[in-house]
Amino acid sequence: MSAMDTQDGTFPLIISVDDHTVEPPDVWQSRLPKKYLDTGPRIVRAPLREMSFLGGRFKPVMGKPGEDGPIGDWWIYEDLHRPLTRLDTAVGYSRDEIKLEVITYEQMRAGSYDVPQRLADMDVNHVQSALCFPTFPRFCGQTFTEAKDRELALLCVRAYNDWMVEEWCGPLAGGRQIPLALIPLWDAALAAAEVRRNAARGVRAVAFSEIPPHLGLPSVHTDDWDPFLAACDETGTVVAMHIGSSSRMPSTSADAPPAVGSTITFANCCFSMVDWLMSGKFERFPNLKVMYAEGQIGWIPYILERADVVWEENRAWGGVADKVTRPPSELFAGHVYGCFFDDAFGLRNLDAIGVGNVLYETDYPHSDSTWPKSREVGEDQMGHLAPDVVERIVRGNAIDLLGLTADGRWPGAAAATGAAG
């Protein structure tokens, strides 16, 4: 299929900048030194004792073998017990069947963790290529950042990146999987080294937290992240921030149902974008690009309008006059990308956002995913746009941002196996 081959010849093949992988059980067990196999990430099958998800907090409790309770596959790492759940991989189930419950690998769609099956599911969904965020490490590697043994945590980050490049995005994927690397968030110098290690093998995106202080880390207003940002600036590596990458989903109270947080998931992206626009980092690192996965785009025009007003009228006492020398909306245009999978309002206001600052996604295999109808959703919501605008949103902007080939593939796939340094 060419990039424009569709049933009616009008809708381009999708490049999704936000899908997810469920890591196979052997990712770390096959890559860590032998001395760490008993403490590094591994899968066990065990019952669930109890589980809740309220106020944006996920709290599962694993039962002992032989106890009553639903059986699921659990990731065990140091003292962490984290089950696979239906929310990790919900495609193929009706909305009414998608509940907060533990599952095993056999109870999920194989495309969640198996490359050939993923490619088949992408074909069904009119998707050519996809960039995937992690599951067990969490969206920017918080699992390893919170670990006690930092030596092991660094090895886990590197092992994940090696698996991502060599297997998930390796020759079997034919360039249709786009690698996203993790970094050791606890050390900016180590993070910079990992960015450069992966950039040397063609990786052009790295996961980061939308609001680092929520993880106990420095904010982007400090100089602490400068070694990491310099590495991204030098290598053309995009800083990719997924909703929830601060380990704190927006909510209003400890007892608010998940529907409250699900409605306002964009809020963290909104706060984060204002942080970046007012930080001065885009002035200091002119090649730096950031993207917000699953943040949607409809909220962006007002925030840009408000940020420009504040910068124009209040920058002297607002603490940004000496570091932000251009209107925030101008900085946004050159450095920030919003990502969406279902945002008709944002598309009706595209002129106030910028055609070049919008990327498309499908969120496979999560419950919000538009799979297997991402093409139909896109056609419905983009029907008022010119074909060249649709092409840019659905694939062209991603090709430019992520350094893909002209036909939308990751160029490093053929040489990926054994490329780790």
Side-chain angles (χ1 to χ4, degrees):
M1 282 192 301
S2 74
M4 294 297 291
D5 283 334
T6 69
Q7 292 177 9
D8 60 10
T10 59
F11 199 79
L13 283 171
I14 297 165
I15 298 178
S16 174
V17 296
D18 172 30
D19 285 0
H20 299 265
T21 177
V22 176
E23 298 80 19
D26 69 340
V27 168
W28 290 276
Q29 290 292 295
S30 65
R31 288 171 176 79
L32 291 175
K34 186 176 181 180
K35 69 176 182 176
Y36 287 122
L37 296 184
D38 291 337
T39 52
R42 59 204 183 279
I43 285 286
V44 301
R45 189 158 290 184
L48 171 73
R49 183 179 299 169
E50 59 182 270
M51 181 163 58
S52 64
F53 189 13
L54 290 173
R57 299 288 184 176
F58 176 48
K59 296 180 180 179
V61 179
M62 188 176 79
K64 297 179 180 179
E67 286 186 349
D68 292 335
I71 300 297
D73 284 334
W74 295 70
W75 281 105
I76 309 298
Y77 171 46
E78 293 188 337
D79 297 329
L80 176 65
H81 297 166
R82 198 280 193 193
L84 297 176
T85 76
R86 177 58 61 210
L87 299 187
D88 292 326
T89 171
V91 291
Y93 288 78
S94 74
R95 298 298 184 188
D96 292 336
E97 293 177 307
I98 300 171
K99 302 175 182 178
L100 183 59
E101 60 183 352
V102 296
I103 60 171
T104 65
Y105 279 91
E106 290 80 7
Q107 292 172 304
M108 70 176 72
R109 194 170 183 87
S112 302
Y113 59 87
D114 179 82
V115 172
Q117 292 298 318
R118 173 60 66 92
L119 298 181
D121 279 355
M122 290 163 63
D123 289 339
V124 168
N125 201 30
H126 196 66
V127 173
Q128 179 186 23
S129 306
L131 179 143
C132 292
F133 284 82
T135 296
F136 169 69
R138 313 218 297 278
F139 294 148
C140 67
Q142 302 101 298
T143 296
F144 304 125
T145 302
E146 296 166 359
K148 298 174 184 176
D149 187 333
R150 287 290 169 80
E151 180 181 353
L152 171 57
L154 179 59
L155 291 172
C156 285
V157 167
R158 291 172 62 96
Y160 177 87
N161 291 338
D162 291 346
W163 168 80
M164 169 61 63
V165 171
E166 298 173 9
E167 293 192 34
W168 189 252
C169 301
L172 193 61
R176 297 182 62 188
Q177 296 295 351
I178 306 163
L180 173 72
L182 299 179
I183 56 169
L185 288 163
W186 59 91
D187 188 311
L190 289 176
E194 191 62 12
V195 166
R196 292 189 173 95
R197 182 177 83 96
N198 288 290
R201 46 185 177 172
V203 179
R204 290 294 178 266
V206 61
F208 191 67
S209 174
E210 62 208 348
I211 308 177
H214 285 349
L215 304 180
L217 299 170
S219 79
V220 296
H221 299 290
T222 70
D223 294 334
D224 296 69
W225 294 108
D226 284 5
F228 161 67
L229 298 179
C232 293
D233 180 79
E234 293 164 12
T235 60
T237 298
V238 180
V239 178
M241 293 170 282
H242 195 285
I243 58 165
S245 56
S246 61
S247 296
R248 189 183 302 179
M249 294 297 287
S251 191
T252 55
S253 65
D255 58 351
V260 172
S262 186
T263 302
I264 58 175
T265 51
F266 72 91
N268 280 358
C269 296
C270 174
F271 300 157
S272 176
M273 189 179 81
V274 175
D275 255 351
W276 282 89
L277 293 176
M278 298 297 188
S279 70
K281 298 304 182 186
F282 296 138
E283 308 265 9
R284 294 186 56 201
F285 302 103
N287 298 315
L288 190 63
K289 312 282 187 182
V290 304
M291 59 169 269
Y292 288 100
E294 208 172 321
Q296 311 302 339
I297 60 174
W299 52 273
I300 292 175
Y302 172 71
I303 295 300
L304 292 179
E305 177 184 283
R306 178 60 185 163
D308 278 358
V309 169
V310 169
W311 178 81
E312 184 66 38
E313 298 182 355
N314 303 331
R315 61 179 179 267
W317 66 263
V320 297
D322 61 337
K323 58 184 178 180
V324 181
T325 61
R326 291 181 289 157
S329 61
E330 191 175 314
L331 295 172
F332 172 89
H335 299 274
V336 184
Y337 295 79
C339 311
F340 77 99
F341 56 79
D342 185 4
D343 193 337
F345 180 83
L347 290 167
R348 290 196 301 270
N349 294 275
L350 191 60
D351 288 347
I353 302 169
V355 172
N357 298 86
V358 174
L359 305 168
Y360 198 42
E361 57 189 25
T362 78
D363 198 29
Y364 178 106
H366 285 180
S367 60
D368 281 339
S369 178
T370 51
W371 185 93
K373 298 184 180 298
S374 300
R375 173 180 178 266
E376 290 84 348
V377 170
E379 287 180 323
D380 180 61
Q381 296 190 353
M382 300 183 214
H384 64 292
L385 300 174
D388 63 319
V389 172
V390 175
E391 194 279 338
R392 287 189 68 183
I393 293 171
V394 173
R395 56 184 293 109
N397 290 337
I399 288 173
D400 293 341
L401 181 64
L402 298 171
L404 307 181
T405 62
D407 65 349
R409 296 173 184 263
W410 180 53
T417 301

